[in-house]
């Protein structure tokens, strides 16, 4: 029998980014015992990388803003595949949870009259993003962390969960290991909240760190939960492209929100060349109008650089493909041009975009106050994930909850920038509340010791002398997903990917780990790899069945939108024999009121 | 592609030795790239922390050629590659394995600082009216990414290991953020003196010199806090004045 440390909780939260921390704070406030596990140290989760801001219709900068406009913007951005109830709750509750951060010590940038300042972002009709320069995520995670550590929550840092345990169909706990010493741990818990973030590390060019291996998605899938919308991956249009070692690192959309423009090698602002019908009424007709918008003219429409991310990314791919790219295979993003408009432009840029200034100066020898950046798409976010109830965030497995990026529904086919941080707060809070309530009305489930022993044995298998290097298998997966299930997709390539995944599963069966169990990244990667393969398979299979182009899913063999496909979510589920099934099921319908709002805002 | 030699400290619990590895060096590459390249090819079990790879999370602190740095922000082109490049863990903290150290002290120390305690909201909707100029300084402190390089180089901690007496620059900057927060009403001077041991700082500014976020830790944070402590404990007029007009700025 494996040596396993046992810990008991009412609510176990897996992940300590914005969603996990917010859920933990909420659950703890209900008086239940809360444990949080995270793969890295506290405060290092991907939330820390979020730059631009959190969207909330507070209306401090433009008082025409309200939850109805935010709801309509989110639905339009998601191409109406969103769960409308989640979009409504998000729009209604975001102002409150954002303001709450201030009560916990957050220092947002201010308006002249002393309120929280809000900035422009793609797809948002009015300036809506509460922010702190371009390091909003850091402010958010630190605020939640510093508040959370005083709430009586147990934090288990550098701990990875490999399996969820169930009893009579409901969650009863989770099994994992501490990375530092490699000891196993069994969490007995009445409820589990997954807040594990995304899957970006399945791609070669990504803004995501080593942690983003789709753990929550895979844990939920193996526990019998449904995943939906897995074909929708957000390739953020502006990642760094040069030098090679920084390829994929995020360049905030805030650059465009502050007036940055995209140009091709001919110096042309190509975003004016292709404005989707859905956004024609909201987009500036010339550069002058665009500039007036970013400088606060309420009668102006937003520049086409602030169209949704899916669209901007595809336009960049087109420019590069047609030979109008920058020297290193991207396009130019220029904020320095505002010198011709503002007397103190250099200081303004450094004040509003300090970490971008620093990042380009240090890593690429580019001074963004003087010259253009080279940018191109980078895998950033997955809209798809665990299917949840809008009110409670409970998955299709009783006692299993999910919040943040690993949950699905709010963003539909494409997420608007700034809607992620507010998502973490709104649905982290809801998940924490509902999980605590669930734990209060259920007794602990049984733990099957044989299952624990089997999982421990499985976790140690890489030490049996397999000869595949886990990092190399991971690298093969990343380059395959990048080229075959990337921004532009087609049937034959995705079929090839499914076959390729089969081969990678075989290589995975032979991965080996050198050394011992103490802080061993090779071993950790070997274990994470299974989750990456599961998620990649879910992405490829979902993308194959959606025979249309919409949001973050673009197929050259089906370039247009299919009205029939506008009515369904793609659902991934594990069959009784362990195989992955994919089906299409009707969307959550809109209420009459929701439909009316959308019609009004057209 | 040109190669360079990296001497990486390998071992557990403080026992170990440098191990030499070759890495290919491409344009723009940083030291963390080299370490990860070596890990992915010939040393899968090489322990190293990293996350964002863009200087935003503060995970990959180490000592490169003896200098405390974030590995992700240390360009290979800025170091002499004709000689082997040494990469070692931070020295002030107990080593766990290879480049990974036990930084739990910093998390425990922060817990000792009294949490943010705001005055009642100014407005009916539960918000406060705060002007940008009142939070500029606080925002500087909030740039901290908790890389703990300042703790690592502070001689009170590194050489004298006075972890029980002195809380260290990172935590003092956290205290400074709270003390200078326009909404915070907590009196923090006694804790600064007695629990956090601010008197141990003798302003050598080693912390400021290594801060990857260029926070003026000593000048803007610790010295003003020291002044408050001095005022609070040794200047009765200032103390009375503060009582009458409220919190000092």
């Amino acid at each position: 029998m494996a040596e396993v440390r046992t810990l008991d909780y009412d609510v176990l939260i897996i992940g300590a980014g914005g969603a996990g921390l917010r859920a933990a704070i909420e659950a703890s406030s209900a008086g239940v015992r809360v444990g949080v596990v995270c793969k890295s140290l506290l405060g290092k989760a991907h939330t820390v990388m979020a730059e631009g801001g959190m969207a909330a219709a507070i209306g401090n900068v433009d008082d025409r803003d309200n939850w109805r406009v935010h709801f309509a913007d989110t639905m339009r951005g998601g191409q109406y595949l969103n769960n409308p109830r989640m979009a409504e709750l998000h729009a209604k509750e975001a102002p409150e949870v954002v303001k709450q951060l201030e009560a916990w010590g957050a220092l947002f940038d201010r308006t002249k009259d002393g309120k929280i300042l809000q900035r422009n972002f793609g797809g948002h009709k009015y300036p809506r993003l509460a922010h702190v320069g371009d390091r909003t995520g850091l402010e958010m995670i630190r605020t939640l962390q510093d508040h959370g550590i005083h709430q009586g929550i147990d934090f288990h840092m550098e701990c990875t969960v490999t399996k969820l345990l169930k009893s009579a169909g409901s969650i009863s706990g989770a099994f994992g290991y501490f990375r530092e010493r490699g000891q196993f741990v069994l969490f007995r818990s009445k409820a589990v909240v997954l807040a594990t973030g995304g899957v970006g590390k399945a791609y070669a060019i990504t803004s995501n760190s080593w942690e983003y291996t789709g753990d929550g998605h895979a844990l939920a899938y193996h526990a019998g939960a449904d995943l939906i919308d897995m074909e929708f991956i957000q390739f953020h249009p502006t990642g760094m492209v040069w030098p090679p070692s920084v390829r994929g690192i995020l360049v905030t959309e805030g650059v465009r929100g502050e007036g940055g423009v995209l140009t091709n090698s001919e110096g042309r602002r190509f975003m004016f060349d292709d404005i989707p019908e859905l956004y024609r009424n909201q987009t500036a007709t010339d550069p002058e109008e665009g500039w007036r918008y970013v400088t606060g003219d309420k009668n102006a429409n937003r520049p086409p650089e602030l169209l949704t991310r899916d669209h901007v990314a595809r336009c960049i791919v087109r420019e590069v493909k047609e030979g109008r790219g920058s020297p290193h295979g991207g396009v130019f993003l220029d904020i320095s041009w505002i010198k011709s408009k503002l007397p103190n432009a250099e200081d303004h840029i450094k004040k509003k975009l300090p970490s971008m200034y620093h990042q380009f100066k240090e890593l690429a020898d580019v001074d963004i106050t003087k010259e253009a950046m080279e940018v191109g798409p980078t895998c950033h976010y997955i809209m798809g994930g665990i299917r949840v109830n809008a009110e409670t965030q409970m998955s299709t497995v009783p006692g299993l909850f999910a919040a943040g990026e690993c949950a699905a529904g709010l963003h539909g086919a494409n997420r608007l920038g700034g809607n992620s941080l507010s998502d973490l707060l709104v649905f982290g809070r809801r998940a924490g509340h509902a999980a605590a309530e669930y734990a209060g009305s259920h007794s602990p489930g049984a733990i099957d010791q044989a299952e624990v022993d089997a999982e421990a044995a499985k976790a140690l298998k890489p030490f049996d002398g397999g000869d595949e290097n886990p990092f190399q298998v991971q690298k093969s997966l990343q380059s395959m997903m990048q080229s075959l299930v990337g921004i532009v997709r087609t049937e034959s390539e995705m079929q090839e990917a499914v076959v390729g995944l089969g081969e990678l599963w075989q290589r995975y069966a032979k991965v080996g780990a050198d050394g011992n169990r103490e802080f061993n990244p090779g071993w950790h990667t070997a274990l994470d790899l299974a989750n990456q393969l599961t998620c990649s398979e879910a992405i490829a299979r979902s993308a194959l069945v959606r025979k249309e182009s919409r949001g973050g899913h673009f197929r050259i063999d089906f370039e247009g939108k299919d009205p029939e496909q506008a009515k369904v979510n793609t659902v991934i589920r594990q069959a009784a024999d362990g195989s992955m099934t994919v089906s299409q099921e009707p969307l959550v319908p809109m209420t009459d009121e929701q439909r009316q709002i959308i019609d009004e805002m057209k | 592609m040109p190669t360079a030699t990296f001497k990486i400290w390998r071992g557990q619990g403080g026992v170990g030795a440098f191990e030499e590895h070759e890495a290919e060096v491409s344009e723009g590459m940083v030291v963390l790239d080299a370490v990860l390249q070596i890990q992915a090819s010939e040393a899968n079990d090489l322990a190293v922390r990293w996350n964002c790879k863009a200087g935003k999370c503060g995970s990959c602190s180490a000592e490169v050629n003896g200098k405390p740095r974030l590995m992700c922000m240390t360009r290979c082109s800025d170091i002499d590659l004709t000689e082997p490049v040494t990469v070692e863990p931070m020295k002030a903290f107990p080593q766990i394995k290879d480049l990974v150290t036990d930084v739990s002290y910093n998390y425990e120390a922060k817990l000792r600082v009294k949490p943010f305690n705001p005055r009642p909201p100014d407005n009916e909707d539960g918000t406060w009216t705060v002007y940008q100029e009142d939070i500029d300084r606080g925002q500087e402190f909030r740039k901290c990414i908790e890389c703990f390089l300042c703790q690592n180089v502070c001689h009170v901690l590194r050489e004298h290991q006075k972890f029980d007496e002195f809380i260290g620059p990172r935590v003092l900057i956290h205290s400074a953020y709270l003390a200078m927060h326009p909404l915070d009403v907590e009196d923090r001077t006694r804790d600064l003196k007695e629990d956090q041991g601010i008197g141990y700082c003798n302003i050598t500014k080693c912390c400021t010199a290594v801060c990857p976020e260029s926070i003026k830790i000593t000048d803007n944070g610790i010295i003003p806090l020291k002044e408050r402590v001095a005022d609070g404990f040794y200047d009765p007029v200032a103390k009375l004045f503060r009582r009458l007009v409220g919190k000092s700025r």
Side-chain angles (χ1 to χ4, degrees):
Chain A
M1 206 162 67
E3 194 182 317
V4 180
R5 180 179 167 197
T6 302
L7 292 162
D8 288 296
Y9 291 108
D10 292 310
V11 177
L12 176 72
I13 290 164
I14 305 175
L21 289 171
R22 189 63 191 79
I25 290 166
E26 199 64 20
S28 176
S29 75
V32 300
R33 289 165 307 166
V34 179
V36 175
V37 299
C38 51
K39 289 212 287 187
S40 284
L41 295 173
L42 196 54
K44 311 298 184 193
H46 213 272
T47 303
V48 83
M49 291 283 290
E51 292 163 352
M54 49 192 98
I58 309 174
N60 284 353
V61 173
D62 193 322
D63 60 13
R64 292 172 297 180
D65 203 10
N66 59 57
W67 78 263
R68 293 157 64 90
V69 190
H70 192 183
F71 166 76
D73 286 352
T74 301
M75 293 297 292
R76 187 186 298 109
Q79 310 250 356
Y80 304 107
L81 286 194
N82 326 53
N83 177 326
R85 179 63 180 155
M86 284 178 78
E88 179 184 335
L89 290 171
H90 171 252
K92 281 181 171 165
E93 294 175 6
E96 185 192 337
V97 287
V98 167
K99 287 184 220 163
Q100 199 169 35
L101 290 182
E102 195 157 65
W104 295 343
L107 293 171
F108 290 107
D109 286 356
R110 314 305 294 184
T111 61
K112 287 208 165 58
D113 56 348
K115 297 180 190 158
I116 295 173
L117 180 61
Q118 298 180 273
R119 73 157 39 122
N120 293 308
F121 238 55
H124 293 282
K125 189 161 186 190
Y126 302 118
R128 188 176 285 150
L129 270 65
H131 62 277
V132 186
D134 55 2
R135 56 161 192 86
T136 313
L138 172 64
E139 187 68 19
M140 176 164 151
I141 202 165
R142 201 66 81 231
T143 302
L144 293 171
Q145 174 190 344
D146 292 349
H147 183 71
I149 56 174
H150 294 286
Q151 308 305 312
I153 300 161
D154 285 353
F155 289 97
H156 302 285
M157 297 195 261
E158 301 194 314
C159 177
T160 304
V161 168
T162 62
K163 190 177 172 65
L164 298 176
L165 304 168
K166 291 202 303 185
S167 162
S170 305
I171 283 297
S172 58
F175 177 89
Y177 62 92
F178 290 103
R179 298 177 64 222
E180 184 179 323
R181 299 282 175 227
Q183 328 96 307
F184 291 128
V185 56
L186 167 66
F187 296 99
R188 290 191 296 217
S189 187
K190 296 180 197 169
V192 170
V193 179
L194 295 169
T196 53
V199 303
K201 215 55 193 166
Y203 287 83
I205 300 172
T206 177
S207 63
N208 291 189
S209 86
W210 70 272
E211 288 196 278
Y212 297 88
T213 50
D215 299 359
H217 294 79
L219 289 170
Y221 167 78
H222 289 295
D226 290 354
L227 306 180
I228 58 167
D229 298 339
M230 291 296 283
E231 65 274 35
F232 296 112
I233 307 269
Q234 178 165 82
F235 290 86
H236 192 291
T238 60
M240 292 176 82
V241 297
W242 189 260
S245 81
V246 300
R247 187 153 197 161
I249 293 177
L250 193 64
V251 180
T252 175
E253 190 166 321
V255 175
R256 286 169 281 145
E258 299 294 337
V261 298
L262 291 164
T263 57
N264 61 19
S265 60
E266 295 161 2
R268 183 175 172 81
R269 274 180 76 177
F270 57 87
M271 287 308 301
F272 276 104
D273 299 342
D274 179 7
I275 295 161
E277 195 51 50
L278 211 50
Y279 284 94
R280 192 142 305 172
N281 294 339
Q282 301 189 353
T283 307
T285 47
D286 57 63
E288 199 47 46
E289 186 184 356
W291 174 250
R292 283 196 284 117
Y293 175 86
V294 295
T295 48
D297 181 342
K298 291 185 178 178
N299 297 315
N301 281 322
R302 58 179 177 263
E305 277 84 0
L306 291 177
L307 284 163
T308 55
R309 291 176 174 178
D310 52 342
H311 180 73
V312 179
R314 275 195 299 280
C315 289
I316 292 174
V317 170
R318 179 195 66 215
E319 291 304 305
V320 174
K321 209 169 192 172
E322 294 176 7
R324 295 184 298 272
S326 66
H328 301 104
V331 293
F332 297 106
L333 171 62
D334 189 15
I335 181 76
S336 71
W337 81 278
I338 67 170
K339 277 183 295 205
S340 64
K341 297 281 187 185
L342 291 179
N344 57 343
E346 200 170 314
D347 288 341
H348 180 74
I349 294 167
K350 285 185 196 165
K351 168 76 193 159
K352 298 310 283 186
L353 303 164
S355 77
M356 287 304 104
Y357 174 75
H358 188 232
Q359 181 174 313
F360 273 89
K361 192 104 179 126
E362 297 288 319
L363 296 174
D365 301 317
V366 168
D367 180 345
I368 67 167
T369 67
K370 297 195 168 60
E371 53 197 316
M373 299 158 249
E374 271 190 80
V375 295
T378 180
C379 178
H380 185 53
Y381 190 88
I382 183 161
M383 275 67 76
I386 301 156
R387 181 188 246 178
V388 291
N389 174 289
E391 318 288 329
T392 63
Q393 298 284 291
M394 190 157 89
S395 72
T396 48
V397 173
L400 181 63
F401 299 77
E405 189 175 352
C406 71
L410 171 60
H411 308 295
N414 173 64
R415 173 175 71 81
L416 297 184
N419 269 0
S420 179
L421 291 188
S422 43
D423 170 10
L424 309 183
L425 295 173
V426 168
F427 293 107
R429 177 170 76 163
R430 281 188 165 268
H433 177 79
E437 207 159 65
Y438 179 95
S441 60
H442 288 77
S443 22
I447 299 288
D448 177 355
Q449 188 59 43
E451 195 180 4
V452 172
D453 290 339
E455 184 60 19
K458 192 175 152 202
L460 292 175
K461 197 173 159 280
F463 289 111
D464 288 348
D467 57 2
E468 281 282 1
N469 174 336
F471 292 101
Q472 299 307 322
V473 180
Q474 188 184 51
K475 203 172 170 188
S476 304
L477 171 71
Q478 290 162 342
S479 45
M480 188 189 80
M481 289 300 285
Q482 186 77 32
S483 66
L484 301 180
V485 201
I487 306 175
V488 178
R489 301 168 177 176
T490 188
E491 181 84 15
S492 58
E493 289 186 350
M494 290 190 289
Q495 293 290 5
E496 204 183 311
V498 171
V499 174
L501 282 163
E503 289 160 8
L504 288 168
W505 274 115
Q506 287 173 10
R507 285 177 67 189
Y508 162 74
K510 289 182 280 186
V511 290
D514 301 331
N516 57 33
R517 280 164 66 174
E518 305 216 359
F519 215 114
N520 185 339
W523 179 40
H524 305 159
T525 303
L527 298 181
D528 290 346
L529 199 48
N531 298 335
Q532 294 191 279
L533 289 166
T534 299
C535 291
S536 298
E537 193 176 332
I539 293 164
R541 290 192 188 279
S542 299
L544 275 164
V545 299
R546 186 170 286 280
K547 297 191 192 307
E548 65 156 355
S549 293
R550 184 181 297 270
H553 172 66
F554 182 76
R555 294 186 57 156
I556 40 169
D557 49 350
F558 296 96
E559 281 205 34
K561 281 183 210 159
D562 174 357
E564 287 306 307
Q565 295 276 303
K567 300 174 186 164
V568 290
N569 291 119
T570 312
V571 182
I572 291 282
R573 195 175 285 144
Q574 192 168 31
D577 67 356
S579 63
M580 186 179 281
T581 65
V582 54
S583 56
Q584 294 197 312
E585 294 180 16
L587 301 178
V588 176
M590 270 190 247
T591 62
D592 292 343
E593 191 203 3
Q594 289 165 341
R595 192 165 294 285
Q596 196 188 333
I597 295 170
I598 282 168
D599 289 340
E600 270 170 37
M601 306 277 171
K602 266 198 174 134
Chain B
M1 211 176 279
T3 63
T5 306
F6 290 83
K7 281 170 65 175
I8 300 174
W9 209 93
R10 305 285 317 262
Q12 280 171 252
V15 183
F18 282 108
E19 202 174 271
E20 280 200 4
H21 293 275
E22 298 289 308
E24 291 183 345
V25 178
S26 62
E27 189 176 344
M29 197 163 119
V30 293
V31 169
L32 180 62
D33 290 317
V35 171
L36 294 179
Q37 192 190 113
I38 290 160
Q39 181 193 61
S41 56
E42 55 195 59
N44 285 183
D45 63 341
L46 168 58
V48 54
R49 285 195 183 104
W50 69 280
N51 282 74
C52 76
K53 218 178 155 297
K56 293 187 170 71
C57 77
S59 299
C60 64
S61 305
E63 304 194 359
V64 179
N65 282 344
K67 292 202 181 86
R69 306 284 301 261
L70 292 179
M71 288 187 281
C72 73
M73 297 304 280
T74 306
R75 295 271 294 266
C76 290
S77 54
D78 293 337
I79 45 183
D80 178 10
L81 298 180
T82 60
E83 297 286 323
V85 179
T86 61
V87 187
E88 298 164 85
M90 288 192 284
K91 292 212 181 86
F93 304 111
Q95 190 203 23
I96 292 174
K97 184 179 160 193
D98 303 337
L99 302 177
V100 173
T101 55
D102 178 358
V103 293
S104 56
Y105 168 80
N106 304 293
Y107 289 91
E108 287 153 17
K110 198 197 236 179
L111 258 178
R112 300 187 347 230
V113 180
K114 283 192 198 124
F116 176 60
N117 181 13
R119 70 177 184 233
D122 301 337
N123 310 310
E124 274 181 18
D125 64 352
T127 62
W128 288 267
T129 303
V130 176
Y131 298 98
Q132 185 63 41
E133 57 268 30
D134 296 329
I135 59 166
D136 280 336
R137 185 48 39 86
Q139 286 188 330
E140 178 190 353
F141 303 147
R142 293 288 272 184
K143 290 190 325 191
C144 171
I145 56 175
E146 299 198 331
C147 66
F148 308 127
L149 285 170
C150 57
Q151 304 281 86
N152 179 47
V153 297
C154 173
H155 63 100
V156 183
L157 303 178
R158 188 180 174 107
E159 267 91 54
H160 304 288
Q161 293 280 312
K162 289 203 177 296
F163 288 97
D164 292 336
E165 292 94 335
F166 182 56
I167 207 157
R170 158 57 195 143
V171 193
L172 286 173
I173 279 299
H174 177 59
S175 286
Y177 140 75
L178 290 166
M180 296 181 207
H181 196 302
L183 306 183
D184 187 71
V185 294
E186 197 69 65
D187 185 357
R188 300 176 182 279
T189 40
R190 181 166 294 278
D191 280 359
L192 281 166
K193 180 173 182 281
E194 289 170 7
D195 178 64
Q196 302 176 27
I198 194 167
Y200 277 95
C201 168
N202 57 0
I203 319 183
T204 51
K205 303 193 187 185
C206 308
C207 50
T208 304
V210 296
C211 178
E213 287 293 319
S214 307
I215 301 169
K216 292 200 170 75
I217 299 173
T218 328
D219 288 355
N220 292 347
I222 296 177
I223 292 175
L225 290 184
K226 277 176 173 279
E227 284 166 357
R228 285 182 187 214
V229 170
D231 288 352
F233 282 87
Y234 310 111
D235 183 347
V237 179
K239 199 172 181 181
L240 181 67
F241 179 73
R242 263 205 317 281
R243 275 223 183 111
L244 293 174
V245 300
K247 217 182 143 195
S248 70
R249 283 272 307 278

